[in-house]
Amino acid sequence: MGAVVADDGPSGVKAPDGGWGWAVLFGCFIITGFSYAFPKAVSVFFKELIREFGIGYSDTAWISSILLAMLYGTGPLCSVCVNRFGCRPVMLVGGLFASMGMVIASFCTSIVQIYLTAGVITGLGLALNFQPSLIMLNRYFDKRRPLANGLSAAGSPVFLCALSPLGQILQHEYGWRGGFLILGGMLLNCCVCGALMRPLEPPKTSEATKEPAEKKAKKKLLDFSVFKDGGFVIYTLAASIMVLGLFVPPVFVVSYAKDLGYQDTKAAFLLTILGFIDIFARPICGMVAGLKWVRPRCVYLFSFAMIFNGFTDLMGSMSVDYAGLVVFCIFFGISYGMVGALQFEVLMAIVGTQKFSSAIGLVLLAEAMAVLIGPPSAGKLLDATGRYMFVFIIAGIEVTTSALVLALGNFFCIKKKPEEPHTKDEAAEREELNKSEDKTPEDAKVDSIEVEQFLKDEPEKNGEVVTNPETCV
């Protein structure tokens, strides 16, 4: 691992948009797959846990809920750790935690012990991997970042399709204890992915340039100044509303099919359809978001994806047979994949590289509250009415509302004034530009010689640091 390197994201670092970045993307793909698919894959062991401990299904469901709560709710803690120690050390420790939790859980003798091990410890380990991997992806990709986000987000449906059948095989062959032990060993691959997160080296500077840098104030462990950004506040509000209804349909669609009288295997096949469509929707949406005309308007593409998802929920509420649910899962898979590919890309575009590590932690904390409220409240609504139609309608209204908040908030509340400098640095840059116009030909000649000498000394190479303010976020 070497020395601890704080990933401050210095402004002189140019995103390689390739090279070692593809290894970082592969690691991010694996981490995203484990983080989102693992809480759902663990559910295949619930029947055996119910039989051994004599508990109800609601008791075992808390394992997945605790995993998701830790993944989202520990966002600020992850931000502090990343800003203090760097991405690679945090991910290595997180991988050990994730594996250790499942290994210890295989020796548990009560469901409460499983809550603490497979729930809290493993959930914390996955959280310490998920957030730093997104931060490193943001550091390594700029022009190709939308595509990179789409490809990494595809890890979620791919791993869901792979881990669920694997969990059933492990349960049949080794029981839940042996299955937990093997899954714990698999989670050690998070440490391998963490080792891939090589920090970009800062530019080599002279001693004279190092002195002001040493006097520079230390970076905040958690930067709350992101709340001064109107775009961030609007995004956080919209994302919190969206999460209330986004995860409800995948949770209830199988039960919906069973309630209509279809077999368990046929009902479960709906999630396979949804996941298969999702695998292709995410990278394709990432490619579209990276187009020259689309990327500056990515926030509105994200709003369209949410409206599409909400409208699909509303139409799905009218399904009365299996064919209708299949059509619903196809369109839900497309819209769900679009949302998954764009949600962090839009956040990166709003706050930039410097504040992303703090911003994502605060956003995930806000979403954690909504994740704990959304599915349980939908379950209570189902118990009260006995009809899935109302569950899907409420979910569709919540997601559509979030889309309107994001689109209208950005359109009416975010004002841009390009004719005036936004920051002191920009004002100083313009003043420097005005001074340069008054330079004599001799001064210009000296400047050109200095530039030529600089280019000879610091050639630009793929993946290396280039101190060019034009490419800085």
Side-chain angles (χ1 to χ4, degrees), residues 4 16 24 35 44 86 102 113 133 135 145 176 194 243 282 308 339 344 348 388 408 424:
V4 173
V24 173
S35 300
V44 301
M102 292 302 294
Q113 293 174 353
S133 68
I135 295 171
R145 193 179 65 202
W176 73 268
V243 171
R282 296 191 184 218
F308 185 16
V339 171
F344 296 118
M348 291 174 186
Y388 287 90
L408 297 179
K424 294 180 179 180

Side-chain angles (χ1 to χ4, degrees), residues 79-148:
S79 297
V80 170
C81 292
V82 168
N83 290 333
R84 175 65 180 86
F85 302 107
C87 290
R88 181 187 278 178
V90 171
M91 291 183 68
L92 291 172
V93 173
L96 292 175
F97 270 52
S99 175
M100 181 176 64
M102 292 302 294
V103 170
I104 297 176
S106 66
F107 298 98
C108 289
T109 56
S110 70
I111 192 65
V112 175
Q113 293 174 353
I114 294 180
Y115 291 160
L116 296 175
T117 54
V120 176
I121 298 177
T122 298
L124 177 61
L126 291 175
L128 291 174
N129 273 273
F130 176 62
Q131 190 171 318
S133 68
L134 289 177
I135 295 171
M136 289 303 295
L137 192 70
N138 183 35
R139 300 268 168 81
Y140 268 87
F141 287 91
D142 181 22
K143 293 180 181 179
R144 295 176 177 171
R145 193 179 65 202
L147 174 61

Side-chain angles (χ1 to χ4, degrees), residues 133-438:
S133 68
L134 289 177
I135 295 171
M136 289 303 295
L137 192 70
N138 183 35
R139 300 268 168 81
Y140 268 87
F141 287 91
D142 181 22
K143 293 180 181 179
R144 295 176 177 171
R145 193 179 65 202
L147 174 61
N149 273 305
L151 290 172
S152 67
S156 174
V158 169
F159 270 63
L160 182 59
C161 293
L163 286 179
S164 293
L166 177 63
Q168 292 175 348
I169 295 172
L170 293 176
Q171 178 182 338
H172 182 265
E173 295 292 332
Y174 305 103
W176 73 268
R177 294 185 184 275
F180 275 24
L181 191 63
I182 294 173
L183 288 176
M186 291 178 60
L187 284 173
L188 282 173
N189 286 291
C190 293
C191 296
V192 179
C193 296
L196 294 175
M197 304 298 163
R198 185 173 66 193
L200 292 171
E201 293 296 328
K204 296 179 181 179
T205 54
S206 62
E207 294 298 326
T209 315
K210 285 181 180 178
E211 291 180 3
E214 291 174 358
K215 296 178 182 179
K216 188 179 178 180
K218 291 183 178 180
K219 184 178 180 180
K220 297 178 182 178
L221 294 180
L222 192 61
D223 191 358
F224 289 98
S225 66
V226 290
F227 285 107
K228 296 179 181 179
D229 187 343
F232 173 77
V233 174
I234 293 171
Y235 176 91
T236 304
L237 177 61
S240 301
I241 299 173
M242 175 189 72
V243 171
L244 284 172
L246 183 65
F247 301 122
V248 170
V251 172
F252 289 95
V253 68
V254 175
S255 301
Y256 194 178
K258 291 179 182 178
D259 194 59
L260 292 175
Y262 296 100
Q263 297 178 353
D264 291 358
T265 54
K266 202 171 182 180
F269 186 67
L270 291 172
L271 284 181
T272 304
I273 297 173
L274 193 156
F276 182 77
I277 299 296
D278 192 6
I279 290 173
F280 296 97
R282 296 191 184 218
I284 291 174
C285 183
M287 292 174 63
V288 173
L291 296 176
K292 186 177 181 180
W293 186 85
V294 177
R295 191 170 185 185
R297 302 164 180 84
C298 199
V299 65
Y300 298 108
L301 179 62
F302 185 41
S303 300
F304 168 76
M306 290 192 289
I307 290 177
F308 185 16
N309 186 271
F311 184 75
T312 303
D313 292 343
L314 296 175
M315 294 297 102
S317 66
M318 302 177 188
S319 300
V320 293
D321 55 13
Y322 191 77
L325 289 177
V326 168
V327 174
F328 163 76
C329 286
I330 291 173
F331 284 97
F332 186 87
I334 296 172
S335 60
Y336 190 74
M338 293 176 66
V339 171
L342 293 171
Q343 57 178 340
F344 296 118
E345 165 61 26
V346 172
L347 180 60
M348 291 174 186
I350 290 174
V351 300
T353 304
Q354 303 297 317
K355 296 183 179 181
F356 181 70
S357 59
S358 296
I360 188 175
L362 296 170
V363 168
L364 289 177
L365 178 61
E367 289 182 351
M369 302 175 188
V371 165
L372 293 177
I373 295 172
S377 61
K380 288 186 177 180
L381 178 63
L382 179 61
D383 293 337
T385 61
R387 300 186 65 183
Y388 287 90
M389 180 182 72
F390 296 113
V391 173
F392 280 67
I393 288 175
I394 294 297
I397 291 174
E398 289 168 343
V399 178
T400 305
T401 301
S402 67
L404 296 176
V405 169
L406 182 64
L408 297 179
N410 275 273
F411 186 78
F412 290 107
C413 301
I414 308 301
K415 304 292 183 181
K416 293 184 178 181
K417 300 179 181 179
E419 64 274 8
E420 294 181 7
H422 294 278
T423 62
K424 294 180 179 180
D425 294 338
E426 189 176 343
E429 191 175 327
R430 290 198 175 190
E431 185 179 350
E432 192 70 25
L433 185 62
N434 294 333
K435 288 181 179 180
S436 65
E437 293 177 356
D438 300 330

Side-chain angles (χ1 to χ4, degrees), residues 36-53:
Y36 278 115
F38 202 80
K40 301 170 187 175
V42 172
S43 62
V44 301
F45 298 97
F46 285 177
K47 286 186 178 179
E48 201 165 334
L49 292 174
I50 291 171
R51 190 182 305 113
E52 176 157 341
F53 296 118

